[in-house]
Each structure stands twice: as C-alpha cells, then as structure tokens.
C-alpha cells in the first residue's frame, strides 16, 4: 500500500499547481478508466477542451476504407489549464459522465503546437 500512496504523491508533484477542482483526476475525487485517445485540441474553453482525431472506417457496401474525423469533449482541470492550448497534442481517458457531453478527462500533454513542425 505504501507504493500506491507514494505514486499518488509523485503525480501531485508532477502536476505542479494544486487545484481545488473536484473533477481533477490527480487532486480531486475522479477515477479514470476505460478508453484512451490522443488528438489535437481544436477548441479550448475554461473547463473543457474539444479534441479531434482521424480514424479509418470500413464501408461494407463499397468494400473500402474511408477517413472520418471524430470530435470528443474532455474536462480540463484547473492545474492543467495554463499548459494546454489550441493545436496541442494531448491524451484523454474515459471517466464517469461529468455532464451531458463530457465523459473524458485530460490526462497529459504530449506535444505542443510548435513541436509538430520541428519533425
């Protein structure tokens, strides 16, 4: 059990600023489980972000694959609010329903907007 409490403390230190958000997966009372997605931030609001990513869908009628874009709304906690901007590549994970459209929470930032052009 001591290892689990130490891991929690390390996560809190990594996140930086301590937030008072109850819907934060690090500082609050929110358990994350289920699917994980990575995508680009297309819109940013005060407490949520919208990410978009492409996926391939198989069409049975034409026996071909086609590209489709999916948009997902995710909760943005107070401790990550300043670090994430439009254009960043982020990872989100499923949690309990937080509102009508929000069922995911932002886990971490993978790349910034500027970093994608450096490759």
């Amino acid at each position: 059990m001591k290892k689990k409490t130490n891991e929690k403390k390390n996560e809190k230190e990594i996140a930086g600023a301590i937030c008072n958000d109850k819907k934060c997966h690090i500082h609050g009372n929110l358990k994350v489980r289920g699917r994980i997605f990575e995508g680009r931030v297309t819109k940013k609001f005060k407490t949520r972000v919208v990410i978009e990513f492409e996926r391939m869908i198989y069409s049975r009628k034409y026996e071909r694959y086609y590209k489709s874009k999916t948009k997902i709304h995710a909760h943005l906690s107070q401790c990550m609010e300043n670090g994430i901007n439009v254009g960043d590549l982020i990872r989100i994970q499923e949690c309990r329903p937080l509102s009508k459209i929000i069922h995911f929470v932002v886990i971490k930032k993978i790349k910034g907007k500027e970093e994608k052009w450096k490759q």
Side-chain angles (χ1 to χ4, degrees):
M1 282 201 139
K2 288 185 179 181
K3 289 182 181 178
K4 289 183 181 179
T5 55
N6 290 339
E7 290 173 6
K8 279 280 191 186
K9 288 178 183 177
N10 291 338
E11 285 180 3
K12 288 182 181 181
E13 292 171 4
I14 290 169
I18 295 176
C19 63
N20 298 325
D21 192 2
K22 291 181 181 179
K23 296 179 182 177
C24 179
H25 73 285
I26 299 169
H27 305 107
N29 189 23
L30 184 69
K31 305 265 190 279
V32 290
R33 79 287 194 279
R35 299 178 293 172
I36 299 172
F37 295 112
E38 293 178 0
R40 295 265 173 218
V41 177
T42 56
K43 292 182 183 178
K44 181 182 173 187
F45 301 98
K46 187 175 181 181
T47 59
R48 70 181 161 112
V49 292
V50 180
I51 70 157
E52 187 175 73
F53 58 93
E54 286 187 353
R55 60 194 184 110
M56 300 297 286
I57 299 174
Y58 183 72
S59 173
R60 286 179 53 196
K61 181 178 179 181
Y62 299 112
E63 298 178 356
R64 302 276 191 274
Y65 286 93
Y66 63 93
K67 286 184 184 178
S68 176
K69 290 184 181 180
T70 303
K71 287 185 180 181
I72 297 177
H73 295 258
H75 178 73
L76 181 63
S77 58
Q78 293 174 357
C79 56
M80 295 185 186
E81 199 171 68
N82 297 331
I84 294 175
N85 297 310
V86 176
D88 293 347
L89 182 67
I90 62 170
R91 180 174 290 144
I92 62 171
Q93 189 168 1
E94 191 176 13
C95 63
R96 65 178 172 83
L98 300 175
S99 70
K100 183 180 177 181
I101 59 172
I102 300 174
H103 300 114
F104 289 86
V105 65
V106 177
I107 299 297
K108 70 175 188 177
K109 177 179 175 179
I110 299 171
K111 287 185 184 176
K113 185 179 180 180
E114 317 80 40
E115 294 177 30
K116 81 172 186 181
W117 298 111
K118 290 182 180 179
Q119 293 177 352

